Amino acid sequence: MLPGVVRSAGIRALISAGYKSVEDLYANPPDAVILTGAEPQQPELTEELFWPALERLLQWLAEAVPSAMVSCLSAHAAMWAFHRAPRRMLLDKCSGVFEQVVDQSHPLMAGVGETAWPHSRFNEVPVPDLAENGYEELAESRHGGWTVARGERGRCQLLLLQGHPEYGPYTLLREYRRDVRRYLSGIQGSYPRLPNDLLDGEGTEALVEFEMKLAFKGRDPALMQDFPFDFAARHVTARWDAASGALVGNWLQSVRQRSDERLYIDSGA
């Protein structure tokens, strides 16, 4: 568990019982690390409670691990930790599924084909900052920003994910339901926008109808009992499983190759 990440007592107990500490990771560097994100709690990354531990982990990855997949907030953190390239807050949350322009010529994108991938974020690192710091942009949406980029830092190949190829088909819908609940509880100031291109017409209509009904009622978390989640879930049309499987499979092949290369170099052969 990364120090500074706020979790409930139950989750902390579960992690303590079933997971090793980050110090164990430092003591036994693996062939690859997958570093996921978290929902931002502060305007600046450096203000997050976990920032010192996250920055230390990123700097260690660059020198000790051959390959790393770094997603969402952690991808933005990597751009700041390594290059002092700041993320930029968006006017509205970027949430939805976006058609991708994929670099089909790159080995990491072999077999991905035409696809749309999910995004769910409040911030972005602008595309020019990737190129200026030596990163290859492998997948980008014209409306959702870059999704996948690759670069080198120290001894480590970094695969940066600003999007969420790992999401399941209903993850965005669950996040949307959570944000509606936060609005009705007074935690969130404005009603969330529907995720882009996630649902067919019937599913979209059902969620818009629910929102319109709320306009005549006060904020009350009890109203969530009428949220049509099950109906909407049956109308999720976006699918990206095959493309994501191809990306991960290609990355794992590159992990093995880089690990073999490191063993060869370290052995002095």
Side-chain angles (χ1 to χ4, degrees), residues 1 5-15:
M1 182 168 65
V5 178
V6 178
R7 303 184 189 275
S8 67
I11 296 298
R12 289 199 304 272
L14 182 65
I15 291 174

Side-chain angles (χ1 to χ4, degrees), residues 10-267:
I11 296 298
R12 289 199 304 272
L14 182 65
I15 291 174
S16 297
Y19 294 84
K20 295 181 179 180
S21 73
V22 70
E23 297 301 328
D24 291 316
L25 184 68
Y26 292 147
N28 300 282
D31 292 330
V33 166
I34 297 176
L35 186 57
T36 59
E39 188 177 18
Q41 302 298 316
Q42 302 296 332
E44 299 294 338
L45 279 169
T46 53
E47 295 174 358
E48 300 282 2
L49 292 176
F50 55 74
W51 173 252
L54 178 57
E55 184 176 35
R56 179 192 175 198
L57 176 57
L58 286 164
Q59 298 291 356
W60 173 80
L61 285 177
E63 300 305 325
V65 178
S67 302
M69 180 185 293
V70 185
S71 73
C72 196
L73 178 144
S74 293
H76 292 172
M79 291 300 294
W80 179 255
F82 296 141
H83 311 292
R84 290 301 185 254
R87 66 182 186 180
R88 180 178 64 188
M89 183 174 289
L90 302 172
L91 295 176
D92 291 300
K93 181 180 181 181
C94 178
S95 175
V97 185
F98 299 90
E99 294 289 336
Q100 301 292 310
V101 178
V102 175
D103 181 358
Q104 303 281 1
S105 66
H106 197 282
L108 286 172
M109 308 306 286
V112 169
E114 295 184 2
T115 189
W117 269 322
H119 281 252
S120 179
R121 52 190 168 80
F122 295 95
N123 303 275
E124 70 172 359
V125 170
V127 170
D129 286 352
L130 294 176
E132 288 175 9
N133 290 290
Y135 291 84
E136 304 171 86
E137 189 183 353
L138 304 183
E140 177 189 10
S141 164
R142 291 188 175 90
H143 303 290
W146 66 273
T147 304
V148 182
R150 178 206 169 275
E152 300 275 344
R153 186 66 181 178
R155 302 179 67 189
C156 185
Q157 173 186 248
L158 290 171
L159 186 66
L160 302 183
L161 304 179
Q162 185 171 243
H164 286 283
E166 82 283 4
Y167 269 14
Y170 309 115
T171 306
L172 284 172
L173 183 59
R174 293 191 183 98
E175 289 185 351
Y176 177 76
R177 178 178 61 180
R178 176 203 63 196
D179 291 344
V180 171
R181 182 180 292 111
R182 287 176 174 176
Y183 169 79
L184 292 175
S185 300
I187 299 172
Q188 182 167 311
S190 59
Y191 199 88
R193 289 189 178 187
L194 279 171
N196 178 75
D197 281 349
L198 179 67
L199 307 166
D200 65 15
E202 287 186 75
T204 298
E205 183 179 348
L207 294 181
V208 170
E209 183 179 344
F210 177 77
E211 180 182 356
M212 292 177 65
K213 288 180 179 178
L214 295 181
F216 303 99
K217 302 176 181 179
R219 294 196 189 188
D220 182 356
L223 296 171
M224 284 302 298
Q225 65 184 354
D226 296 324
F227 186 84
F229 181 88
D230 292 339
F231 179 85
R234 292 194 293 272
H235 292 272
V236 171
T237 55
R239 290 291 186 273
W240 51 87
D241 311 40
S244 296
L247 172 63
V248 173
N250 295 335
W251 180 71
L252 289 174
Q253 288 184 11
S254 75
V255 167
R256 180 174 182 177
Q257 180 180 353
R258 289 181 69 91
S259 178
D260 290 344
E261 289 173 353
R262 184 174 73 166
L263 286 173
Y264 181 81
I265 292 171
D266 291 346
S267 68

